[in-house]
Amino acid sequence: MRRLFAAALVMILAGSVGALRADDKPNPTGTWKWTVNFGGQEREMTLKLKLDGDKLTGSMPGRDGQETVIEDGKYKDGEVSFKVTRERMGNKFTIKYTGKVSGDTIKGKTEFDRMGQAQSRDWEAKRAKD
């Protein structure tokens, strides 16, 4: 009887640990915020992401309040990548985002072209509490 009880207890605990590990996987779904310095001015950035399987979709509001849909969204092994293309004064520009999700933080790099020169910046977003 003791052996049966011990075996059942081990099975229950093993199942619980497996369920906890599945829930602990990083998940990019949610609203993310961070601050960027443009020419000495601080601007709060917002990113809305949704993970459906391995497909990552989302949007970023611009200065004018319009949502810009992310392009080429990918998520694998805790890593996000996507592009945002905007237009300002008749010029289009694309910013590529990459980052690693860890709990309620995404930390990574942005890459963009500025006056013909490749530029990159670090970015670190925090999950917004709803």
Side-chain angles (χ1 to χ4, degrees):
M1 185 71 166
R2 283 186 183 170
R3 286 184 186 172
L4 182 59
F5 177 74
L9 186 59
V10 167
M11 295 295 284
I12 290 170
L13 290 175
S16 298
V17 169
L20 286 174
R21 284 189 183 156
D23 291 343
D24 286 343
K25 288 183 181 178
N27 187 339
T29 297
T31 300
W32 301 85
K33 294 186 180 270
W34 70 102
T35 303
V36 177
N37 188 319
F38 285 111
Q41 293 183 338
E42 297 279 317
R43 277 196 38 214
E44 183 176 80
M45 305 294 289
T46 301
L47 169 66
K48 297 174 185 174
L49 294 177
K50 182 176 180 191
L51 182 63
D52 185 12
D54 62 350
K55 184 178 179 181
L56 186 64
T57 60
S59 63
M60 285 179 104
R63 286 184 190 180
D64 55 7
Q66 286 189 326
E67 297 281 324
T68 302
V69 175
I70 68 168
E71 305 163 15
D72 302 326
K74 294 180 181 73
Y75 181 74
K76 186 174 182 180
D77 299 328
E79 302 274 339
V80 295
S81 65
F82 58 91
K83 297 176 187 175
V84 176
T85 301
R86 300 207 191 254
E87 186 172 343
R88 190 165 295 128
M89 296 190 298
N91 296 314
K92 284 189 177 186
F93 59 97
T94 300
I95 302 172
K96 180 182 177 186
Y97 290 81
T98 57
K100 176 102 174 148
V101 179
S102 179
D104 288 336
T105 303
I106 300 176
K107 193 172 187 177
K109 290 223 177 267
T110 62
E111 297 176 5
F112 54 96
D113 186 75
R114 184 174 181 190
M115 295 193 266
Q117 297 291 318
Q119 305 279 315
S120 71
R121 288 187 182 178
D122 293 332
W123 71 293
E124 183 172 338
K126 299 288 184 187
R127 190 183 310 266
K129 305 295 180 198
D130 293 330

